[in-house]
Amino acid sequence: MAQTEQHSIDPLQQIDVDDTITRLSAKKGVESVTVMTKDGQVIRTTATAEQAESHGKLLSKLARDAAEIVEQLDDQDELSFLRIRTTRHEVMVALDRSYLLVVVQTPQKD
């Protein structure tokens, strides 16, 4: 599991993060799991360094933009989950106050 040294989390949170990544990575079709800050700095990932950097940059921006749209539509609401499905991949982004959890998987056949 790759890790960046620029941003870390406390040891108790690290155990939860590592357990979550291990559990999600074991699911059928999951290609990668990444935990990052809201600004895209990768904390933990199972992706390659290149993929993680790309996901961090692009998906953190997408999550920020989508969250702003939700807030503009209803200032009493906030975005908690984002799902993008293409013909090749499904990308799921769970948003927290400080972090993003990104899971990339092969979409299941309907």
Side-chain angles (χ1 to χ4, degrees):
M1 184 179 326
Q3 171 184 349
T4 61
E5 298 301 324
Q6 299 169 333
H7 199 287
S8 61
I9 53 179
D10 72 58
L12 289 177
Q13 282 181 320
Q14 180 176 333
I15 292 169
D16 287 341
V17 167
D18 290 342
D19 288 346
T20 299
I21 289 174
T22 300
R23 184 172 36 82
L24 290 171
S25 296
K27 301 279 184 187
K28 181 180 178 183
V30 170
E31 295 180 11
S32 68
V33 179
T34 302
V35 176
M36 64 183 76
T37 63
K38 281 214 166 179
D39 63 356
Q41 289 185 325
V42 176
I43 298 169
R44 300 273 190 286
T45 188
T46 62
T48 66
E50 184 178 317
Q51 288 172 326
E53 183 179 337
S54 176
H55 290 167
K57 180 192 280 186
L58 298 172
L59 293 173
S60 63
K61 180 182 182 334
L62 179 63
R64 273 192 310 275
D65 292 348
E68 286 177 19
I69 290 168
V70 169
E71 187 176 333
Q72 287 175 8
L73 293 172
D74 181 351
D75 63 359
Q76 300 298 308
D77 205 358
E78 67 180 283
L79 183 66
S80 60
F81 193 81
L82 183 61
R83 180 177 170 187
I84 305 160
R85 187 171 179 157
T86 69
T87 54
R88 294 184 55 211
H89 296 100
E90 185 172 40
V91 179
M92 295 165 288
V93 182
L95 293 82
D96 183 69
R97 272 189 225 123
S98 303
Y99 304 101
L100 301 176
L101 172 66
V102 176
V103 177
V104 178
Q105 69 180 13
T106 305
Q108 299 296 315
K109 304 268 191 252
D110 291 331

